[in-house]
C-alpha cells in the first residue's frame, strides 16, 4: 500500500480475509544473520542486484527523477525499525539504475505528519521560486498524513543541492480535500499547456484525479478517471505517461498505472494499467467492448422455484433461489435472469452449504458467476470444531491463575479471564471456563504472557486462538510466538474475530529443543487484543474450522478447485479447469461458513464449456502477473526519452512476515517500458534495464539443441549453478504439456519452477517448494501469465537473485516477479518436460556479480 494508506490496522484486517496462520519460516534465520558483526549485504536472503536499504523497513519507491547524471530513488522508509511505521523518505542514487548508493534520510516524519508516497520533479524554470534558473530546485510532492486526524493531503518540499538536503514548504499543505484516502501524487511537466500535471488517487473510491498548476503550489482540478478495471482493493500510486506504439513516434498512446491492493491478478497487491488517450485535461481508456463469455451448456441457473436436486445444509441459502437482493443487503448485480444462490438470508450471521448432485466430469471447463465475500477455502479446515487431538496440555488456563507463566504489562491482568470482558463482543470457541484474553480495559492495554520453558517432544503445537490479526513484523503485533534460543521461530495471530479456532505449528524439526510460548499484545488500535486457550503438544494436527465463503469443486471427497467473491455484491465470471478430472465423479458446493462482515456468497449460471470464462481481473491489464510487484511508478526526465519503471518487490499479504533481517523490503529490477501490439491489442511490455548485463561475470554457460522428454535434468551442470543468475532460453514446442526451467534447486525437493503450459498457453512460476514458504498461508502457490507461443517458440529471460525471480516471457508482455527464500545451498538449474517432449533450442546462463561491490 502506498504509504501506510488505509491504516495499518485496516491493512491487517484486509489481510485477515486471506491469511489464516502467519508463522515465521520453518527454516529460521541463521545465527550469523542475527549477529551484529555480519558484513552488510551478505546476509542469507540479501538481494545482490536489487536495491535494499542496509537496514530497516522499506516499501514504495518515491520521487523517481533523473538530474545531473543521477537517477534518484526515494522510498518509503522506517528509520527506526524493521516493520512499517514512522514513514519517511529514504534516498539512494545511481548512474546506471543497477549500482545504488544509499544516502542519508531525505524527508523525515515529525510529531505532526508521516511522509507518505509521492514524486519529484526538477523545476527547470523555477516556477516555485525555490531556486534559480541557473540552479533549479528539485521539488518533492508527497502525501502528508496527519497523525492526529488521519487526513491525507498533498505537500511539497524542495532541495537546491541535488536532493541531498530538503526543506518542507512553509505553506503546506498545497491540496487538502479533507479526505483520509487521498494520496500518492505523481507530478510531471506537461509541455502543451506549459503547466504541471498531477495524477493522484482517491483510493477508496477507485478513482484517479488530475490536477494542473503553474507553480506546484496552487492546483486546479481537471478531471477524474474511474472506477474501471479491477476494483477489488484500494487504488494507489498512480502514474501517467506517453509511449510510442510499436516504436512509432507518430502513434503515441498514454498509459495510466493504477496499483491495487488487495484484488491483484495473483492475489493481494499488484500493478494494473490502462492504455488510452490524454487530451490535457482528461484520460480516456481504450474501449475494450462488452465481454461475451464462451458458450456452453447451463447446468444450474437458479431460475426454478426451488433448488431442484441441489441440497442445502444450514440456513444461509434459504429454501429456494433468491430473487436478487435480500433484506439488509447491498444491491446485488451481475447475475443472469431472475434467480441466484444467495447466502445472505438473515444477514451475515447465518452459515450453510448448497451442494449439487454428483456428476461425471465430461467438459473442459466449468464457468460460473460469483460474488460476495473474499474468504477463500483453506485446505485442512473442517466444517465444525471437533475435540482436541490427544496429547500433552501445556496450559488450559483453568486454575484461576497463570501458574508458572509470567505476565508483563497490563493487558493480561493477574489471572485468566472467564469469557467475555466488559465492552467486548461475545467470545466463543474456548474450552472449559478459563482463557487468556488481553482485552482488559479494551484495546488500549499492552503486555506479554510467557510460559515456563518446556521440551518439544511431539510433532505439533496446537492451540486455540482468536482476536486481532497483527502479525509479527508488523508495527504492533498481537501474536502467539514460539521461542527457541530466544528467537521467534513460529508465530500466529487471530483473524479479527472473537471466536477462538484451532491453530497448529508443525515442529518436527524442533523436537528435542527447549522452547517457550509467548503471547504478545503490543497493539492499542482496533482488534488490538488476543484470545488464547488450550495449548498442547500432540502428534496429530488440530484442524481449524472453515471461515470460507466459496464455490468449491469436490472430487474424491476433496476440494480441488475453489473461487470466492471479491467483497462485492457484483457477480463476476470465474472458471474451473476440469480437464484433470475428466471421467471422475464430482460435486459443486457453494459454502458460507463465515459470520463476519462480507460473510456471505452469491453465485449463478453454472455452465459447462470448452473454454474458460474470464473475470474482470483476468481481463484487466497487468504490468506484472507475479505476487511481488507493487507501487510501480516511473522515472521522470530519463535520458533519451526512455521510460523506466520500478516496483516494490513485496506484497501486503505477507510483507511484514518475510524472513529477512536487518532489512525488510526490496525494489524490483528497473524495467524499460514499451507499448507493443500483441494479438491485436496494445499491451504494456517491459524488459530489464540493459545495465544489468554489466554484472555478468566470466564466460557464459550454454546448451544448444537439446530435446527433453518426460524428465527433469541438470541444464548444463555445475557451470550453470548459482544464486544470482541471468538466463536466456528459447524452446520450440513439440508435444509436452509443460516444460521450462527449475532454478535454486537443492536438497529435499527445493526448487522454483519456471514453466510454460501449452494447454492453457500460460507462463507460470511455482514457488510452493522454493524454500521457506510457511510464514504466511498466501505465500506458496503458482502464478500464471497469458503468453502465446510465437512461430512455435517460447522465449524466456530470467533474473535469479538470492531471494527473488523475475521472469520476462515473449516480448515482455508476460512478466512474473516472485520472492523466494531458498537455502543458500540450493543453487541448481534444471530443464524439464512433462507429458511429452520439448526442444531447448538454446539456453545461456551468466553468473551475476554483486552490485554492492
Amino acid at each position: 500500500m502506498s504509504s501506510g494508506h488505509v491504516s495499518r490496522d485496516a491493512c491487517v484486517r484486509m489481510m485477515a480475509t486471506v491469511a489464516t496462520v502467519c508463522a515465521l519460516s520453518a527454516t529460521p534465520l541463521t545465527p550469523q544473520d542475527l549477529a551484529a558483526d555480519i558484513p552488510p549485504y551478505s546476509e542469507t536472503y540479501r538481494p545482490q542486484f536489487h536495491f535494499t536499504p542496509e537496514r530497516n523497513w522499506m516499501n514504495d519507491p518515491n520521487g523517481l527523477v533523473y538530474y545531473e547524471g543521477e537517477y534518484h530513488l526515494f522510498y518509503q522508509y522506517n528509520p527506526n525499525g524493521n516493520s512499517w511505521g514512522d514513514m519517511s523518505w529514504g534516498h539512494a542514487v545511481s548512474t546506471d539504475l543497477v549500482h545504488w548508493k544509499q544516502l542519508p534520510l531525505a524527508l523525515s516524519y515529525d510529531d505532526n505528519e508521516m511522509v507518505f508516497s509521492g514524486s519529484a520533479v526538477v523545476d527547470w524554470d523555477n516556477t516555485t521560486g525555490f531556486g534559480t534558473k541557473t540552479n533549479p530546485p528539485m521539488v518533492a510532492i508527497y502525501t502528508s498524513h496527519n497523525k492526529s486526524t488521519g487526513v491525507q493531503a498533498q505537500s511539497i518540499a524542495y532541495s537546491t543541492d541535488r536532493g541531498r538536503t530538503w526543506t518542507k514548504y512553509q505553506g503546506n499543505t498545497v491540496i487538502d480535500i479533507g479526505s483520509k484516502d487521498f494520496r500518492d501524487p505523481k507530478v510531471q511537466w506537461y509541455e502543451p499547456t506549459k503547466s504541471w500535471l498531477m495524477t493522484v488517487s482517491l483510493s477508496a473510491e477507485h478513482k484517479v484525479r488530475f490536477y494542473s498548476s503553474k507553480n506546484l503550489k496552487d492546483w486546479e482540478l481537471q478531471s477524474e478517471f474511474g472506477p474501471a478495471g479491477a476494483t477489488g482493493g484500494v487504488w494507489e500510486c498512480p502514474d501517467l505517461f506517453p509511449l510510442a506504439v510499436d516504436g512509432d513516434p507518430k502513434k503515441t498512446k498514454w498509459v495510466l498505472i493504477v496499483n491495487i491492493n488487495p484484488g491483484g491478478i495473483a492475489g493481494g497487491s499488484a500493478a494494473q494499467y490502462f492504455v488510452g488517450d490524454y487530451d490535457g485535461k482528461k484520460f480516456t481508456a481504450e474501449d475494450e467492448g462488452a465481454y461475451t463469455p464462451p458458450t456452453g451448456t447451463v447446468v444450474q441457473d437458479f431460475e426454478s422455484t426451488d433448488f431442484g436436486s441441489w441440497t442445502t445444509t444450514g440456513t444461509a441459502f434459504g429454501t429456494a433461489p433468491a430473487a436478487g437482493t435480500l433484506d439488509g443487503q447491498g444491491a446485488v448485480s451481475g447475475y443472469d435472469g431472475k434467480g441466484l444462490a444467495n447466502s445472505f438470508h438473515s444477514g451475515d450471521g447465518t452459515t450453510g452449504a448448497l451442494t449439487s448432485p454428483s456428476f461425471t466430469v465430461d467438459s473442459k471447463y466449468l464457468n460460473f458467476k460469483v460474488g460476495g465475500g473474499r474468504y477463500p477455502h483453506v485446505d485442512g479446515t473442517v466444517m465444525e470444531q471437533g475435540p482436541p487431538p490427544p496429547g500433552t496440555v501445556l496450559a488450559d488456563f483453568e486454575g484461576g491463575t497463570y501458574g508458572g507463566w509470567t505476565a508483563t504489562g497490563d493487558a493480561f491482568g493477574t489471572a485468566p479471564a472467564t469469557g467475555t470482558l466488559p465492552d467486548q463482543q461475545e467470545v466463543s470457541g474456548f474450552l472449559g471456563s478459563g482463557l487468556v484474553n488481553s482485552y482488559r480495559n479494551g484495546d488500549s492495554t499492552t503486555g506479554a504472557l510467557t510460559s515456563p520453558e518446556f521440551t518439544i517432544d511431539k510433532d505439533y503445537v496446537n492451540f486455540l486462538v482468536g482476536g486481532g490479526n497483527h502479525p509479527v513484523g508488523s508495527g504492533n503485533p498481537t501474536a502467539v510466538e514460539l521461542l527457541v534460543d530466544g528467537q521467534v521461530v513460529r508465530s500466529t495471530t487471530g483473524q479479527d474475530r472473537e471466536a477462538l479456532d484451532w491453530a497448529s505449528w508443525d515442529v518436527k524439526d524442533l523436537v528435542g529443543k527447549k522452547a517457550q510460548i509467548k503471547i504478545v499484545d503490543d497493539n492499542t488500535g482496533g482488534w488490538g487484543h488476543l484470545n488464547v486457550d488450550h495449548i498442547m503438544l500432540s502428534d496429530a494436527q488440530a484442524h481449524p474450522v472453515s471461515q470460507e465463503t466459496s464455490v468449491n469443486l469436490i472430487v474424491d471427497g476433496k476440494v480441488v478447485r475453489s473461487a470466492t467473491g471479491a467483497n462485492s455484491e457484483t457477480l463476476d465470471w470465474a472458471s474451473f479447469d476440469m480437464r484433470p478430472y475428466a471421467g471422475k465423479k464430482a460435486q459443486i458446493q457453494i459454502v458460507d461458513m463465515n459470520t463476519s462482515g462480507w460473510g456471505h456468497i452469491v453465485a449463478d449460471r453454472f455452465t459447462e464449456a470448452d473454454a474458460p470464462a474470464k473475470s474482470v481481473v483476468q481481463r484487466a491489464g497487468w504490468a506484472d502477473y507475479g505476487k511481488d510487484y507493487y507501487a510501480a511508478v516511473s522515472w521522470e526526465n530519463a535520458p533519451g526519452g526512455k521510460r523506466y519503471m520500478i516496483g516494490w518487490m513485496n506484497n501486503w499479504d505477507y510483507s511484514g512476515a518475510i524472513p529477512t533481517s536487518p532489512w525488510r523490503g526490496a525494489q524490483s529490477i528497473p524495467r524499460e517500458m514499451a507499448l507493443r501490439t500483441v494479438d491485436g491489442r496494445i499491451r504494456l511490455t517491459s524488459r530489464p534495464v540493459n545495465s544489468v548485463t554489466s554484472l555478468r561475470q566470466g564466460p557464459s554457460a550454454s546448451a544448444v539443441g537439446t530435446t527433453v522428454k518426460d524428465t527433469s535434468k541438470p541444464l548444463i551442470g555445475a557451470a550453470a549453478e548459482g544464486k544470482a543468475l541471468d538466463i536466456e532460453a528459447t524452446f520450440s514446442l513439440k508435444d509436452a504439456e509443460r516444460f521450462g526451467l527449475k532454478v535454486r534447486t537443492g536438497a529435499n525437493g527445493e526448487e522454483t519452477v519456471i514453466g510454460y503450459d501449452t494447454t492453457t498457453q500460460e507462463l507460470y512460476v511455482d514457488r510452493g517448494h522454493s524454500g521457506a514458504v510457511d510464514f504466511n498461508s498466501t505465500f506458496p502457490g503458482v502464478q500464471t501469465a497469458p503468453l502465446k507461443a510465437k512461430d512455435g517458440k517460447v522465449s524466456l529471460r530470467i533474473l535469479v537473485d538470492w531471494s527473488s525471480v523475475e521472469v520476462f516471457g515473449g516480448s515482455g508482455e508476460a512478466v512474473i516477479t516472485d520472492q523466494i527464500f531458498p537455502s543458500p545451498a540450493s543453487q541448481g538449474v534444471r530443464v524439464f518436460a512433462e507429458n511429452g517432449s520439448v526442444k531447448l533450442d538454446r539456453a545461456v546462463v551468466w553468473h551475476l556479480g554483486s552490485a554492492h561491490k
Side-chain angles (χ1 to χ4, degrees), residues 123-471:
D123 184 12
W124 296 104
D125 294 330
N126 195 30
T127 64
T128 55
F130 292 151
T132 65
K133 285 286 187 76
T134 56
N135 184 27
M138 188 182 292
V139 181
I141 308 94
Y142 66 92
T143 294
S144 171
H145 172 82
N146 187 300
K147 293 165 72 170
S148 61
T149 65
V151 167
Q152 297 175 358
Q154 314 320 317
S155 293
I156 59 177
Y158 62 92
S159 169
T160 56
D161 59 359
R162 297 165 49 244
R164 269 51 180 183
T165 60
W166 290 84
T167 302
K168 292 181 181 179
Y169 174 47
Q170 290 291 311
N172 281 338
T173 55
V174 296
I175 311 179
D176 186 350
I177 61 172
S179 172
K180 296 182 179 181
D181 293 287
F182 178 51
R183 54 181 175 265
D184 313 333
K186 178 62 188 291
V187 174
Q188 61 190 286
W189 180 255
Y190 186 67
E191 183 62 26
T193 59
K194 297 289 193 292
S195 60
W196 297 102
L197 165 63
M198 177 192 291
T199 307
V200 63
S201 176
L202 290 172
S203 59
E205 299 177 43
H206 309 116
K207 290 181 179 180
V208 170
R209 277 188 169 183
F210 303 100
Y211 287 85
S212 180
S213 173
K214 295 295 185 182
N215 60 8
L216 293 174
K217 302 173 184 176
D218 304 297
W219 294 90
E220 181 180 346
L221 177 63
Q222 301 295 301
S223 65
E224 290 183 351
F225 171 80
T231 56
V234 292
W235 277 17
E236 300 183 319
C237 300
D239 194 2
L240 180 71
F241 50 85
L243 284 175
V245 179
D246 298 322
D248 183 357
K250 295 180 181 178
K251 186 180 180 183
T252 296
K253 288 288 183 180
W254 286 75
V255 178
L256 176 63
I257 301 290
V258 179
N259 291 272
I260 182 173
N261 175 71
I265 182 64
S269 316
Q272 179 180 199
Y273 73 89
F274 301 88
V275 175
D277 297 298
Y278 180 72
D279 63 6
K281 285 198 170 185
K282 183 179 181 182
F283 175 81
T284 304
E286 298 274 274
D287 185 1
E288 299 287 341
Y291 176 65
T292 302
T295 57
T297 303
V298 177
V299 295
Q300 175 61 279
D301 59 7
F302 301 109
E303 293 301 302
S304 300
T305 56
D306 57 28
F307 288 124
S309 57
W310 290 47
T311 58
T312 61
T313 58
T315 58
F317 291 93
T319 57
T325 308
L326 294 172
D327 290 344
Q329 187 175 25
V332 177
S333 62
Y335 59 98
D336 291 352
K338 297 180 179 179
L340 74 157
N342 188 339
S343 72
F344 197 76
H345 286 82
S346 300
D348 282 326
T350 52
T351 61
L354 178 61
T355 308
S356 78
S358 178
F359 62 94
T360 301
V361 176
D362 58 5
S363 66
K364 293 181 179 179
Y365 294 92
L366 180 69
N367 300 329
F368 54 94
K369 287 189 163 184
V370 63
R374 188 196 283 115
Y375 295 95
H377 170 80
V378 177
D379 288 338
T381 57
V382 294
M383 288 300 180
E384 57 185 44
Q385 188 184 97
T392 305
V393 176
L394 297 175
D396 60 9
F397 305 107
E398 293 298 303
T401 72
Y402 286 129
W405 289 58
T406 303
T408 58
D410 51 4
F412 296 92
T414 57
T418 56
T420 308
L421 293 172
D423 299 323
Q424 187 177 25
Q425 299 174 36
E426 182 181 359
V427 176
S428 62
F430 58 99
L431 300 179
S433 58
L435 76 155
V436 173
N437 185 339
S438 71
Y439 195 75
R440 315 264 172 175
N441 296 317
D443 282 325
S444 63
T445 51
T446 61
L449 186 63
T450 306
S451 77
E453 191 173 69
F454 61 94
T455 300
I456 299 174
D457 59 1
K458 297 186 183 300
D459 291 347
Y460 296 94
V461 178
N462 299 320
F463 53 95
L464 291 163
V465 62
N469 183 342
H470 303 275

Side-chain angles (χ1 to χ4, degrees), residues 396-560:
D396 60 9
F397 305 107
E398 293 298 303
T401 72
Y402 286 129
W405 289 58
T406 303
T408 58
D410 51 4
F412 296 92
T414 57
T418 56
T420 308
L421 293 172
D423 299 323
Q424 187 177 25
Q425 299 174 36
E426 182 181 359
V427 176
S428 62
F430 58 99
L431 300 179
S433 58
L435 76 155
V436 173
N437 185 339
S438 71
Y439 195 75
R440 315 264 172 175
N441 296 317
D443 282 325
S444 63
T445 51
T446 61
L449 186 63
T450 306
S451 77
E453 191 173 69
F454 61 94
T455 300
I456 299 174
D457 59 1
K458 297 186 183 300
D459 291 347
Y460 296 94
V461 178
N462 299 320
F463 53 95
L464 291 163
V465 62
N469 183 342
H470 303 275
V472 166
S474 64
N476 302 97
T478 53
V480 185
E481 302 173 348
L482 181 67
L483 306 180
V484 174
D485 296 328
Q487 299 298 327
V488 179
V489 295
R490 302 287 189 277
S491 166
T492 297
T493 73
Q495 297 182 54
D496 293 348
R497 299 173 64 246
E498 298 295 11
L500 284 76
D501 202 356
W502 284 110
S504 184
W505 292 324
D506 184 333
V507 291
K508 297 186 188 76
D509 60 317
L510 301 174
V511 168
K513 291 185 177 293
K514 298 285 188 180
Q516 289 178 288
I517 289 172
K518 187 175 183 180
I519 305 171
V520 177
D521 174 359
D522 192 33
N523 199 293
T524 60
W527 287 105
H529 66 279
L530 210 58
N531 310 322
V532 182
D533 193 21
H534 211 79
I535 303 168
M536 58 184 301
L537 292 165
S538 176
D539 285 328
Q541 187 174 13
H543 296 290
V545 177
S546 167
Q547 300 297 317
E548 69 200 271
T549 54
S550 60
V551 177
N552 298 331
L553 179 70
I554 300 173
V555 177
D556 296 331
K558 294 181 179 180
V559 175
V560 295

Side-chain angles (χ1 to χ4, degrees), residues 101-118:
K101 178 183 179 182
Q102 186 172 340
L103 297 177
L105 192 69
L107 297 173
S108 178
Y109 78 99
D110 57 33
D111 291 341
N112 299 315
E113 73 171 12
M114 284 197 282
V115 182
F116 279 6
S117 287

Side-chain angles (χ1 to χ4, degrees), residues 539-668:
D539 285 328
Q541 187 174 13
H543 296 290
V545 177
S546 167
Q547 300 297 317
E548 69 200 271
T549 54
S550 60
V551 177
N552 298 331
L553 179 70
I554 300 173
V555 177
D556 296 331
K558 294 181 179 180
V559 175
V560 295
R561 294 280 190 271
S562 186
T564 75
N567 289 351
S568 170
E569 301 293 11
T570 301
L571 283 77
D572 194 9
W573 284 105
S575 182
F576 291 156
D577 185 348
M578 307 289 279
R579 292 171 300 172
Y581 315 109
K584 293 191 173 185
K585 292 289 187 180
Q587 287 178 289
I588 304 163
Q589 188 170 66
I590 310 172
V591 182
D592 173 3
M593 292 299 297
N594 198 289
T595 59
S596 303
W598 286 108
H600 64 279
I601 189 160
V602 287
D604 194 21
R605 202 163 183 84
F606 288 83
T607 307
E608 295 177 337
D610 289 333
K614 293 184 177 181
S615 67
V616 168
V617 171
Q618 290 171 313
R619 303 195 306 268
W622 300 98
D624 194 296
Y625 288 80
K627 277 278 201 178
D628 295 307
Y629 189 74
Y630 189 61
V633 285
S634 65
W635 267 273
E636 293 300 316
N637 297 1
K642 300 284 190 181
R643 183 61 59 169
Y644 299 118
M645 179 172 284
I646 193 170
W648 177 44
M649 200 160 58
N650 214 333
N651 191 309
W652 281 114
D653 278 357
Y654 45 72
S655 57
I658 58 172
T660 65
S661 177
W663 84 101
R664 185 169 280 131
Q667 303 295 344
S668 75

